[in-house]
Amino acid sequence: MALPESAVAFLSDQIKRLRQLKPKRRIVFPEGDDWRVQSAAERLHHEGLVTPILIKRDRAISEQDARKYARLYFERRRAKGITEVEAAEVAELPLYTAALMVAAGDADGFVGGAVNTTAETVRAALLAVGTAAKVHIVSSAFIVAHPNRAFGHNGILAFADCGVVIDPSAVELAEIAIATAATTRSIIGAEPVVALLSFSTKGSAQHAWVDKVVEALRIVRERAPDLRIDGELQADAALVEAVGRSKAPGSTVAGRANTLIFPDITSGNISVKLVERMAGAATFGPFLQGLAKPANDLSRGCSADDIYGSAIVTALQSSNASV
């Protein structure tokens, strides 16, 4: 299926931005034996976009590096009771080797999940890379390119969290909203207009699920008062200007949202797959939010093109990793 124009424009913009980064970013792939990963890495190298590092079964890292990564993992996990022998064993696992390469500064980001599950990939990133300062929860966001460019920012929107946090509390939902706003700014290149979604708009329904979203809005406005955010909003009120004016008059977000925050993983995951399969949207990601350095997950059903796109965004994320 051909990519919608919005997706082509988005990817072209990412590539232009990436070519401006010096030096060239090093992206490590822990599943280097997979043909899709090899195809994507070859294309990235041929086009001069990143320096790919493939971890393969028949290509072991040096003993010196192995000791370095084992020591780094031991230092990170010793407070949890891990032994040096156990740390060395974990550090040899490809996902952890890749994550520790990023943590050690030997790579600028990693892209995994073509073979491993999301849980395995995220766990390696959490334990080996760690979270950014002042971050209490790691979440994820999809970049969605819709064929109708009237939606979001020229057809581009961020959806979160559709892959990691199953049932966020109000505090966690607020953190996801703030993190995803940063993703919209850094990856989409637009000022975030954030909608906290619900089955209710501005008190049209009463339920504990609605209360959670309302409380999340209060927390975000307290922590990030300059962020353009509103809720609770139904999806049509968030996306369609006429509906937004009718259901949430006076809202600066209703009908204009480019960043959609779902109340739980069920609604988020279902929604991102529906717009992809039934509305002809293209999706990029999921991209992990809240890590100290870039590490991103893939679907096990991903294509070489998916891996190529994720690697480009991961490389761009590395330019903001210290911010």
Side-chain angles (χ1 to χ4, degrees):
M1 182 183 295
L3 289 175
E5 289 183 8
S6 57
V8 174
F10 169 75
L11 198 54
S12 176
D13 181 60
Q14 302 300 300
I15 291 171
K16 288 177 183 176
R17 291 171 60 199
L18 183 55
R19 290 194 186 282
Q20 295 172 0
L21 292 184
K22 304 295 180 186
K24 193 184 300 180
R25 295 320 198 243
R26 304 156 299 169
I27 304 299
V28 59
F29 299 88
E31 299 148 334
D33 291 300
D34 188 281
W35 71 267
R36 297 166 297 173
V37 173
Q38 293 171 1
S39 176
E42 183 178 350
R43 182 180 174 189
L44 290 161
H45 173 73
H46 177 73
E47 295 179 4
L49 297 175
V50 304
T51 299
I53 304 168
L54 272 61
I55 297 177
K56 297 183 177 181
R57 285 189 296 270
D58 62 352
R59 190 180 302 170
I61 61 175
S62 69
E63 286 189 20
Q64 181 179 353
D65 283 341
R67 288 195 297 270
K68 177 171 71 173
Y69 300 146
R71 186 65 190 176
L72 176 58
Y73 191 70
F74 173 69
E75 291 299 330
R76 287 178 176 266
R77 301 297 296 167
R78 66 189 303 175
K80 299 296 183 180
I82 196 171
T83 67
E84 291 187 69
V85 172
E86 291 169 336
E89 292 173 349
V90 171
E92 289 180 354
L93 300 173
L95 277 177
Y96 286 83
T97 302
L100 288 164
M101 288 180 71
V102 175
D106 295 335
D108 298 298
F110 97 72
V111 177
V115 176
N116 295 280
T117 67
T118 291
E120 292 166 335
T121 306
V122 173
R123 180 174 174 80
L126 272 172
L127 298 184
V129 176
T131 58
K134 298 181 181 179
V135 169
H136 302 99
I137 187 170
V138 169
S139 59
S140 69
F142 277 91
I143 304 301
V144 175
H146 197 279
N148 186 342
R149 302 188 77 170
F151 290 127
H153 178 71
N154 297 322
I156 308 296
L157 304 97
F159 281 33
D161 181 355
C162 307
V164 177
V165 186
I166 294 175
D167 186 17
S169 65
V171 172
E172 291 170 335
L173 198 61
E175 290 198 12
I176 291 169
I178 293 170
T180 310
T183 294
T184 296
R185 190 176 287 114
S186 64
I187 296 180
I188 296 177
E191 276 304 301
V193 183
V194 186
L196 292 169
L197 299 181
S198 176
F199 66 90
S200 168
T201 295
K202 296 297 182 181
S204 65
Q206 305 294 317
H207 194 277
W209 293 347
V210 177
D211 296 339
K212 179 176 80 168
V213 177
V214 172
E215 175 64 8
L217 176 65
R218 185 194 66 78
I219 295 168
V220 173
R221 285 180 168 166
E222 183 179 276
R223 296 185 181 182
D226 295 331
L227 184 60
R228 190 174 168 188
I229 186 170
D230 203 0
E232 82 282 13
L233 295 171
Q234 290 166 286
D236 57 351
L239 294 169
V240 181
E241 191 170 355
V243 178
R245 285 197 305 267
S246 172
K247 290 187 174 183
S251 172
T252 63
V253 170
R256 304 177 181 89
N258 58 23
T259 306
L260 304 183
I261 308 302
F262 295 86
D264 53 54
I265 199 173
T266 299
S267 56
N269 192 272
I270 290 171
S271 296
V272 77
K273 293 183 186 303
L274 282 177
V275 297
E276 181 180 24
R277 300 299 179 180
M278 296 182 70
T283 60
F284 301 89
F287 301 109
L288 298 180
Q289 305 176 140
L291 293 170
K293 295 182 179 181
N296 285 314
D297 182 36
L298 297 160
S299 164
R300 281 174 289 170
C302 66
S303 66
D305 287 342
D306 294 331
I307 299 169
Y308 170 85
S310 287
I312 288 170
V313 173
T314 303
L316 284 168
Q317 284 180 310
S318 70
S319 67
N320 300 314
S322 61
V323 177

